Amino acid sequence: MQRLHTMANIDTVLIRQLVILVLILFSCINIISKGVQAKEDDHKVTNIGAVIDVTSRIGKEEITAMEIAVQSFNNKLNNHGLSVYVQSHGKDPMLAAAAVMVTRNYSVAAEKLIKETNVTVIIGLETWELAAPVAEIGTRARVPVLSFTAPSITLPLSALRWPFLAQMANNDSEQMTCIAAIIRSYGWKKVIAIYEDETYGGDSGKLAVLIEALQDIGSEIEHTLVLPPISSLSNTKKVMQEELMKLLSLESRVFVVLKASSVMTIHLFEEAKNMGFMGRDSAWIITNKITTYLDSFNTSIISSMAGVLGIKTYYTENSSKYESFYGQFKQVFRKKYEDEDNFEPGIYALKAYDAIQIITEAMEGMINTNISSKQLSEKILSSNFTGLSGEIQFERGMLSQNPTLRIVNVVGKKYKELDFWLPSFGFSRSLVNEETEHDGNTAQGLYGQVTWPDDLNQVRNPKGWAMPTNARPLIIGVPGRTSFEKFVKVKNESNQNEEPEGYCIDLFKMAREVLGYDLPYKFVPHFSTYDDLVRCVHNKTFDAVVGDITILANRAELVEFTQPYAESGLSMIVPAKSEESAWMFMKPFTWEMWMATAAMLIYTMFIVWFLEHRSNPEFEGTWKTQIGTAMWFTCSSLFFAHRENVQNNFTRVVVIVWLFVSLILTSSYTDSLSSMLTVNKLKVNVTDIEFLKRNNLKVGCDGDSFVRNYLVDVLQFKSENIKTINSQDSYIGEFEKKHIAAAFLELPYEKIFHKGSPIAMDFSKAILTLSENGALKELEEKWFAPSPECSTGVTDNRTERLRLHSFWGLYIISGATSTICFFLFIIKIIKDQYRSNTSPRNNSIWSKAIRLARFIYQGQQINFAIDQTRPQLPEIIGRGSSRWKYSSPDAAENHEAASLEAADVEMLYIPGG
């Protein structure tokens, strides 16, 4: 029955609305038909008709302004007769209309003027819902129409659809951009849009423009409250209370009133104040049309709107033209409407005055000629002058310049003007453009001091959110079961009044103290998965969640996270054992390094022996003695402990380079060994994730977190190889029993709130403050002291051992130096040998090689050419030492020749016979 009754009411309202529309259209057609002729060229300009709401304050202002304009026109042009005729359609604002006739009559009496109303121009129309159908009629009848409004969204083909329409206004894009800038400057993420439904339905497109403007700044409309038309309500107060009750369950407390009649505006703010929607954390913004009502509201109504921000079109009040009009308007308006409290003209009064001026200027110069309505329309659209309402210049049927706006703030029983909003510039302290002022902005907020609702001395800006109170505290969900109780631990599951403990709980309490305002709260354990906990915030079961929760992409789409207070990511834990060994001293070098070092040592030893054993007594002796001496010299040089002197310059070069190599090697070895002995080294058997999958090893994870799905879906682990572990202490036992080879754990770090919650931003700032002053580090040390059973300092020894690729350059330099010195020494020996030999010899290659080898080893020349004139003596008498001993009659000559090659070689002569 209730549904049928509601449907009957709706049908009644629709029928009434259709009747009203028909009456209005009939009135317009009736007015226009009197002045329309069949042919356009024969159509004469005679009268002007205005369609306005004469019962409203705005209508009264418009009528007064037009009367002043008509009187001014009559005074200037004596051969024109101008009169005002008002025809009212009752008290219903939708049936109210007026007709203003301007007739071109040189000597016609007033009585005849009233009877013959040939209307050729229509002005007025404060709403687009009325302007659109009248514009259609004007187009069909070829009658110019001047409307005081324009659609919220510019229609792309409006100039072609309504060629006789001139709109003395702009679309709502600039106004909505200004509102969005205010919302952005205070960090409000969600707003509630309110508008009164038109008699014919719709919101004039204002909502769509606001949605687009909010999307550009990252905000959104949480809810849209559509109020029924005031004309359809029998009990306005009751209906208003019912509508506002719908907003109690919402969290946003930023209200944008897009459109409402003056009567609806009064009821809206009175009931909003009574129901607590005008609190200290609330913000109300009203659009231009509603702001114009402030001039007509009495003090009691304005007081209910205290703290409201309004947008109004700016117009100058300093010109002589305005001052003249202001004086006349105040005098006439006060005389006609004594019951009104305010006698100030508004923007619509200024538009009405400018509309008459547009028409009069279009008619000037064409007094003695008949013009068509099309010509008059073209003259109207070509107007270009500065009127009382601003610059009058049309482009595609509407004003070409975006308006300068003014932000006002209702304070007490009046309102004060704050900042300017300059198109394409932003907020500004003064009325200047971007080229002369550089302090405009769209993000930093208003420059003027705003008085917000319910707190005249409010220091902080409203949160724009339904803040918790003692009666309704912040309901905070906490994980009931966690794998790591140091983060969150619910002491008693059966007693929810007992607060949980842990690192996350202490951090929440510390951050709450930094907020600067009271935040009542209540912890509620939730025994389910972390994803379910996040969904509980999204569906508003909880206001927030505190715990070890990781940010994920799918979670961030549902809720808003605070500033991280720990490192994020996924960690892999594997068992490790100590690397302490009796052979630790071998670890600094890799085996390639050891082999290369040994080879270079032996090669250097050989070069030193070769260069020194011929001439240096310290390298004399048997084979074993010589090799031992050379090895001792080379090895002791590693520690700069050698005592043998070197006499050959080539040897000195080799030794210098070798000492440099030794210095680098010993220093590097010492540093690496010191690091290995002083740092605790742990050896792990599992090196990476692929090793686990390749060997089909089992791994463990927390069953309540996202990790299990991540291991299966992303890392491609087999589901049967993943074991769920429910507590922190169980991991050690699972490792010891070798049930798992590795464990995967998430790194927790977040608190989460509803999307758009300003509390999340406040907590993020509080966490940063705790991090900067060191309190966060102290809290971490309290709850997460280093554990002897688990270490994060596991390193890979291979990265610390010294490898050959880091030293091969040194080895090449040392080896190349030794090799070069060796060949230079050989070349010197060969040159000296051939220079000292004068007797004929056996020059075969084999003989030369033998002589060279003996010379290198013995340090003396051997002449195999035999003198046939002398008897041959035994060549070798004996070997008394490492040197060869000879007997020859020519011993003196041989000695002399040998002394040329090596003065230090001692020759033993044996008498012949």
Side-chain angles (χ1 to χ4, degrees), residues 153-288:
I153 303 174
T154 301
L155 303 178
L157 300 177
S158 60
L160 297 176
R161 182 177 179 182
W162 301 300
F164 290 89
L165 176 64
Q167 305 167 59
M168 298 179 62
N170 305 86
N171 59 33
D172 287 326
S173 61
E174 195 67 33
Q175 181 178 199
M176 297 307 167
T177 302
C178 176
I179 293 176
I182 296 175
I183 293 172
R184 176 189 179 187
S185 64
Y186 293 106
W188 300 325
K189 295 300 182 181
K190 292 185 178 182
V191 302
I192 297 175
I194 302 175
Y195 69 87
E196 179 185 357
D197 194 11
E198 290 291 341
T199 305
Y200 316 109
D203 65 332
S204 305
K206 296 180 184 294
L207 182 63
V209 181
L210 178 62
I211 291 175
E212 183 178 357
L214 292 178
Q215 288 177 346
D216 293 339
I217 64 169
S219 298
E220 62 180 350
I221 293 180
E222 182 182 14
H223 180 74
T224 301
L225 180 63
V226 182
L227 303 175
I230 190 66
S231 59
S232 65
L233 301 180
S234 58
N235 190 342
T236 306
K237 182 176 182 179
K238 181 181 178 181
V239 173
M240 188 62 65
Q241 291 175 349
E242 293 174 353
E243 294 295 331
L244 291 177
M245 284 290 293
K246 301 175 182 178
L247 307 181
L248 290 176
S249 60
L250 303 177
E251 295 171 326
S252 176
R253 287 298 179 266
V254 179
F255 305 95
V256 179
V257 185
L258 297 174
K259 185 180 61 173
S261 62
S262 59
V263 179
M264 182 63 78
T265 303
I266 294 172
H267 286 286
L268 171 63
F269 283 98
E270 285 181 349
E271 296 304 323
K273 184 176 182 180
N274 295 334
M275 297 179 65
F277 288 103
M278 303 290 290
R280 62 177 302 177
D281 286 302
S282 300
W284 288 78
I285 304 175
I286 57 178
T287 54
N288 183 27

Side-chain angles (χ1 to χ4, degrees), residues 482-484 699-704 708 722-732 734-735 739-740 742-745:
T482 59
S483 298
F484 296 90
V699 298
C701 69
D702 180 10
D704 292 336
R708 185 180 185 90
I722 302 176
K723 184 174 183 179
T724 301
I725 300 176
N726 296 321
S727 66
Q728 173 184 353
D729 298 332
S730 300
Y731 282 97
I732 298 176
E734 296 293 331
F735 279 124
H739 290 171
I740 59 174
F744 288 89
L745 304 175

Side-chain angles (χ1 to χ4, degrees), residues 57-59 61-62 65 126 147-149 168-170 287-296 311-317 322 325 329 344-355 387-392 399 403-405 415:
R57 162 72 188 219
I58 293 178
E61 291 182 5
E62 291 173 342
E126 300 95 351
S147 70
F148 298 160
T149 186
M168 298 179 62
N170 305 86
T287 54
N288 183 27
K289 180 65 178 293
I290 303 174
T291 305
T292 59
Y293 301 152
L294 296 178
D295 293 326
S296 61
I311 311 296
K312 63 179 294 188
T313 303
Y314 171 79
Y315 53 87
T316 181
E317 299 178 358
Y322 177 83
F325 168 77
F329 179 89
E344 305 287 334
I347 184 64
Y348 284 96
L350 305 184
K351 288 185 177 182
Y353 187 94
D354 290 340
L388 295 179
S389 61
E391 293 294 327
I392 303 298
L399 293 181
T404 297
L405 304 177
Y415 66 87

Side-chain angles (χ1 to χ4, degrees), residues 16 238 240 341 375 509 567 578 738:
R16 184 181 182 187
K238 181 181 178 181
M240 188 62 65
D341 295 335
Q375 291 174 323
K509 294 179 179 178
E567 185 181 359
S578 176
K738 300 187 183 303

Side-chain angles (χ1 to χ4, degrees), residues 33 108 153 178 211 244 261 264 549 570 603 607 621 650 673 786:
S33 62
V108 179
I153 303 174
C178 176
I211 291 175
L244 291 177
S261 62
M264 182 63 78
I549 302 174
L570 184 68
Y603 183 66
I607 297 298
F650 292 116
L673 182 61

Side-chain angles (χ1 to χ4, degrees), residues 431-674:
L431 187 63
V432 292
N433 56 33
E434 185 177 1
E435 298 177 353
T436 58
E437 182 179 306
H438 302 282
D439 61 350
N441 71 89
T442 59
Q444 297 178 359
L446 299 172
Y447 294 107
Q449 180 64 41
V450 181
T451 301
W452 299 105
D454 198 37
D455 192 354
L456 297 179
N457 298 320
Q458 185 171 338
V459 177
R460 66 178 179 87
N461 297 323
K463 296 296 181 182
W465 200 258
M467 299 298 291
T469 61
N470 292 328
R472 187 188 178 279
L474 192 72
I475 304 300
I476 302 177
V478 294
R481 289 186 295 268
T482 59
S483 298
F484 296 90
E485 295 181 345
K486 288 186 177 181
F487 286 103
V488 178
K489 179 181 179 181
V490 177
K491 299 179 183 178
N492 191 348
E493 296 183 7
S494 59
N495 185 10
Q496 295 189 0
N497 293 326
E498 187 175 1
E499 284 196 353
E501 63 180 16
Y503 171 77
C504 297
I505 303 301
D506 287 355
L507 178 60
F508 168 79
K509 294 179 179 178
M510 293 175 62
R512 177 176 171 268
E513 296 177 356
V514 182
L515 292 179
Y517 56 87
D518 187 32
L519 188 69
Y521 66 91
K522 179 182 179 181
F523 288 119
V524 177
H526 183 74
F527 300 94
S528 185
T529 64
Y530 284 91
D531 287 335
D532 288 339
L533 199 59
V534 172
R535 282 190 287 269
C536 286
V537 178
H538 178 64
N539 60 30
K540 301 182 181 179
T541 303
F542 296 137
D543 297 317
V545 167
V546 173
D548 51 338
I549 302 174
T550 303
I551 288 182
L552 298 176
N554 59 340
R555 294 176 180 175
E557 293 178 356
L558 302 177
V559 296
E560 187 164 346
F561 289 83
T562 64
Q563 170 72 22
Y565 52 80
E567 185 181 359
S568 64
L570 184 68
S571 62
M572 182 178 74
I573 299 177
V574 296
K577 61 181 180 179
S578 176
E579 275 197 329
E580 295 180 359
S581 171
W583 298 96
M584 183 66 71
F585 68 90
M586 296 292 292
K587 296 291 184 179
F589 287 169
T590 60
W591 70 269
E592 296 94 342
M593 186 70 177
W594 282 117
M595 295 296 295
T597 303
M600 184 56 60
L601 180 68
I602 293 172
Y603 183 66
T604 304
M605 176 190 73
F606 167 75
I607 297 298
V608 170
W609 169 82
F610 177 79
L611 297 176
E612 290 293 321
H613 81 282
R614 296 177 57 258
S615 59
N616 194 337
E618 295 186 12
F619 287 84
E620 291 181 351
T622 63
W623 273 101
K624 293 181 179 180
T625 301
Q626 293 183 37
I627 292 174
T629 301
M631 181 172 290
W632 166 256
F633 175 83
T634 308
C635 292
S636 62
S637 64
L638 288 170
F639 312 102
F640 302 94
H642 56 284
R643 292 177 297 176
E644 294 79 8
N645 295 321
V646 293
Q647 299 179 359
N648 193 302
N649 289 332
F650 292 116
T651 307
R652 292 188 177 101
V653 174
V654 172
V655 170
I656 288 174
V657 176
W658 173 248
L659 291 178
F660 175 74
V661 174
S662 301
L663 175 64
I664 300 298
L665 291 177
T666 54
S667 300
S668 301
Y669 176 87
T670 303
D671 293 340
S672 180
L673 182 61
S674 299

